[in-house]
Amino acid sequence: MDKSLLAERMSRLGTESAFAILAEANKLEAEGKSIVHMEVGQPDFKTPQNIIDAACKALNDGFTGYGPSAGLPVLREEIARYAKEYKNVDTNADEIVVVPGGKPIMFFVIMALCDHGDEVIYPNPGFPIYESVINFCGGKAVPMPLLAKNGFRIDYDLLEESITDKTKLLIINNPSNPTGAAFSKAEIERLAEIVKKHPKLMVLSDEIYDRLSYGEPIVSIASLDGMKDRTIILDGFSKTYSMTGWRIGYGIMDKDLAEQVTQLMTNSNSCTATFTQIAALEALRGPQNSVEAMKAEFKERRDYIVEALNKIDGVTCHCPEGAFYVFPDISSFGIKSKEFCTRLMHEAGIAAAWGTSFGSFGEGCIRFSYATSLENIKEAVKRFEAFTKTL
């Protein structure tokens, strides 16, 4: 195909490098090289059996056809109950749209709110699809630096300076991918006060990891006075219930915006698969012990890898408060993060994501996902320490 036939917007579309790293790692494995996989943010736990059973029953019961574009009413009502219990957010089915995964909420919300040239502030380093979608939709991506030297916290003065009369949306991710930082209630309250100064500024709050917090429960910015109608919550089932391949997520937002997002669903996906929605319903209604067990296992892994990495000369590693990533600083070795990770894979057999795949301010760091067994983590640390001694 003649690439000149492609629309210009395709040149503005980014990617999620972890999948490219996984493909390269799989290729090396096929050639016989031993690889420890630390690159992909996917829980290594099986989807709980009650959820699988619910999906199988749904298929046998005939949940194989179209459903409403906004999602099954029974699931949206249950999400509203869940939001009240776990997020302290009062909502209802009319304010909820169920979509195939979390990413469609990013796409649809930015498409619905941002015209060409509108500015969107996003976390950097952060989930790479934020910046990608902003650029693709013709917006101006304005980074909100989250630096290792500051413990990956928000610089509020810098944030205020970044807001202009063209700023339409602020994206936050709490807890964060790739840093694992989780913002306290006081930090979220301060953020809300800044937003309130700008009547036309909306917030997209990515809360996909909020049940995987190792300290105090995560405070949703939507739960604060005056912020519910200013906030779009992005959440889903991939991380909390180990349902990455099921592709089911949702957004909570103002009813009028929900209608627009539903229209985008109608034009793109028609609807989310009905049998996966029944499985999601069981995830919310069923026992939550699997979530707590998974979080306890992640915490044990986190504690090990943070302590182990900080013992390695030239490496410093912030202790994440949530999610299942560490983002160690390797800048002392004087090697760009992409080259560092490429060599790490080919020379030491460890697949990891380089810092700049999460934005320019990720330079000097790399991301390890500890969503793998403690045995694999120990082997990775052993190989990693040996590798650093060759630099």
Side-chain angles (χ1 to χ4, degrees):
M1 174 184 167
D2 182 353
K3 290 186 177 180
S4 67
L5 297 175
L6 290 172
E8 186 273 334
R9 70 177 71 90
M10 293 305 297
S11 67
R12 304 195 301 266
L13 195 63
T15 189
E16 191 172 350
S17 298
F19 289 103
I21 297 165
L22 174 62
E24 177 66 17
N26 288 340
K27 179 182 176 182
L28 290 173
E29 279 187 311
E31 295 171 356
K33 187 172 183 61
S34 171
I35 299 290
V36 182
H37 290 273
M38 306 284 284
E39 72 277 37
V40 176
Q42 173 168 265
D44 59 319
F45 296 86
K46 177 185 174 183
T47 302
Q49 192 61 45
N50 63 306
I51 299 174
I52 295 173
D53 291 343
C56 292
K57 184 176 185 302
L59 286 167
N60 288 318
D61 287 348
F63 285 92
T64 57
Y66 291 125
S69 293
L72 297 175
V74 65
L75 176 58
R76 288 184 284 133
E77 289 166 3
E78 188 62 25
I79 290 170
R81 182 206 63 78
Y82 175 91
K84 177 61 178 175
E85 179 177 356
Y86 289 101
K87 301 178 186 292
N88 194 31
V89 173
D90 283 310
T91 185
N92 59 69
D94 290 338
E95 298 179 330
I96 294 166
V97 185
V98 178
V99 294
K103 288 175 182 173
I105 292 297
M106 299 174 202
F107 257 102
F108 295 159
V109 166
I110 293 171
M111 289 175 68
L113 292 180
C114 299
D115 284 319
H116 186 81
D118 285 340
E119 297 175 2
V120 181
I121 298 173
Y122 70 101
N124 186 326
F127 187 53
I129 304 305
Y130 302 144
E131 183 179 6
S132 173
V133 174
I134 296 164
N135 291 332
F136 182 76
C137 292
K140 179 181 177 181
V142 179
M144 177 170 64
L146 302 173
L147 305 179
K149 66 180 182 181
N150 298 329
F152 305 114
R153 322 315 291 184
I154 296 172
D155 183 329
Y156 294 97
D157 292 335
L158 182 59
L159 172 61
E160 290 205 74
E161 291 174 7
S162 300
I163 299 172
T164 74
D165 57 0
K166 291 185 177 181
T167 308
K168 276 285 195 72
L169 188 65
L170 166 66
I171 301 176
I172 59 173
N173 182 200
N174 191 26
S176 166
N177 172 17
T179 70
F183 304 122
S184 68
K185 181 180 180 181
E187 289 174 299
I188 291 297
E189 287 175 338
R190 185 170 179 187
L191 192 64
E193 290 307 310
I194 293 173
V195 173
K196 289 176 185 178
K197 296 178 184 178
H198 304 275
K200 294 185 178 181
L201 177 59
M202 298 288 288
V203 177
L204 174 58
S205 180
D206 185 343
E207 301 176 6
I208 198 75
Y209 297 100
D210 69 346
R211 293 283 299 279
L212 299 177
S213 170
Y214 307 116
E216 293 297 316
I218 296 299
V219 174
S220 173
I221 194 169
S223 70
L224 303 181
D225 288 344
M227 287 304 300
K228 179 176 176 292
D229 292 340
R230 305 282 299 277
T231 303
I232 303 99
I233 294 175
L234 182 161
D235 206 343
F237 300 82
S238 292
K239 315 301 183 180
T240 303
Y241 299 101
S242 196
M243 295 174 67
T244 54
W246 295 72
R247 306 319 302 139
I248 182 163
Y250 59 88
I252 304 174
M253 65 202 78
D254 174 83
K255 180 178 179 292
D256 292 338
L257 181 58
E259 291 175 354
Q260 300 302 311
V261 169
T262 298
Q263 189 171 352
L264 287 166
M265 267 295 291
T266 302
N267 277 266
S268 57
N269 296 291
S270 295
C271 63
T272 303
T274 50
F275 67 91
T276 65
Q277 293 187 64
I278 298 300
L281 184 65
E282 172 61 25
L284 298 181
R285 287 180 172 176
Q288 302 295 302
N289 55 300
S290 63
V291 181
E292 295 306 314
M294 182 170 64
K295 184 168 73 171
E297 179 67 24
F298 282 147
K299 184 178 184 299
E300 180 182 358
R301 297 173 186 179
R302 177 204 69 169
D303 292 347
Y304 175 83
I305 194 169
V306 170
E307 181 179 2
L309 288 174
N310 279 318
K311 288 180 179 178
I312 298 173
D313 289 341
V315 178
T316 56
C317 184
H318 171 80
C319 185
E321 297 96 355
F324 40 70
Y325 310 105
V326 286
F327 204 55
D329 187 329
I330 48 84
S331 59
S332 68
F333 297 105
I335 303 172
K336 296 293 186 180
S337 64
K338 185 172 184 179
E339 179 187 348
F340 189 100
C341 285
T342 300
R343 290 183 57 183
L344 187 64
M345 185 189 299
H346 287 266
E347 297 175 27
I350 305 171
W354 54 89
T356 50
S357 64
F358 303 98
S360 59
F361 288 97
E363 185 58 88
C365 295
I366 64 173
R367 190 193 76 173
F368 289 136
S369 167
Y370 52 87
T372 186
S373 69
L374 191 57
E375 179 183 3
N376 284 343
I377 292 170
K378 289 180 178 180
E379 176 62 22
V381 169
K382 178 182 175 182
R383 295 185 185 190
F384 184 67
E385 183 173 19
F387 171 75
T388 61
K389 290 179 179 179
T390 68
L391 299 177

